[in-house]
Amino acid sequence: GVSLNIFNKHCDRIKMACIAQIVNVLQSVILTEGKKMLLTPTYHVFHMYKNHQGAAAVRTAVEADMVGYLDKDGREESIPSLSVSASHKDGCATITIANLNAEEDAHIRLKPVGRGFSADGEMTILSHSDVHAHNTFENPDCVTEKTEAIDTGGEITIPKAGIAAIRVRLL
């Protein structure tokens, strides 16, 4: 999600980006075993970001806590806990958010500047309580998208290590 947000935010310079290998490789979108097939969390992220394709990017500003990590040399660094990008097409806005904090949910409020959007929207979430969870042939739907209606004027929760795609009608 973070990489796709970066690509979307810099779409004036990045004209095309794709995943090189799709099936049965590292970071696959699809895994197969004989006649069995499953969709990976990577598939679901790409699916959630599809509405950015062919859309016009919208500038975003984010106020977020910082989250720490260790760099390759073992030094502590920090980055914003939220990665966000947005776009619009066909009278709708798509806002994608990655919560980089693996320990805490993010509680956000959307504040449109300029053009407004409807109070009712839809949010698709990809998350799991175990950040190491993955889909297997025994449990192919362990990590999958869940969609719910939201009030865009209220507080929205993005689960820890979760990704959200919010769709709203523009006014």
Side-chain angles (χ1 to χ4, degrees), residues 1 54 58-59 137 154:
V58 174
R59 185 178 308 213
F137 292 105

Side-chain angles (χ1 to χ4, degrees), residues 1-2 5-6 9 60-69 77-84 97-102 104 106 108 161-162:
V2 173
N5 282 338
I6 291 169
K9 287 174 96 163
T60 58
V62 179
E63 294 177 16
D65 293 335
M66 301 298 277
V67 64
Y69 69 96
E77 299 284 341
S78 62
I79 56 174
S81 61
L82 297 175
S83 167
V84 179
I97 306 164
N99 181 359
L100 305 179
N101 192 324
E104 294 181 26
I108 66 166

Side-chain angles (χ1 to χ4, degrees), residues 92-141:
C92 288
T94 299
I95 305 155
T96 47
I97 306 164
N99 181 359
L100 305 179
N101 192 324
E103 297 174 4
E104 294 181 26
D105 295 347
H107 304 283
I108 66 166
R109 290 192 179 275
L110 302 176
K111 295 180 183 176
V113 176
R115 192 169 179 182
F117 46 71
S118 64
D120 59 322
E122 179 180 272
M123 180 170 67
T124 301
I125 293 280
L126 183 68
S127 73
H128 195 283
S129 59
D130 177 2
V131 298
H132 301 289
H134 57 281
N135 296 342
T136 63
F137 292 105
E138 296 74 36
N139 189 2
D141 296 320

Side-chain angles (χ1 to χ4, degrees), residues 14-27:
I14 301 170
K15 299 300 179 189
M16 184 176 86
C18 60
I19 192 164
Q21 299 169 328
I22 297 177
V23 180
N24 291 342
V25 292
L26 187 62
Q27 203 62 36

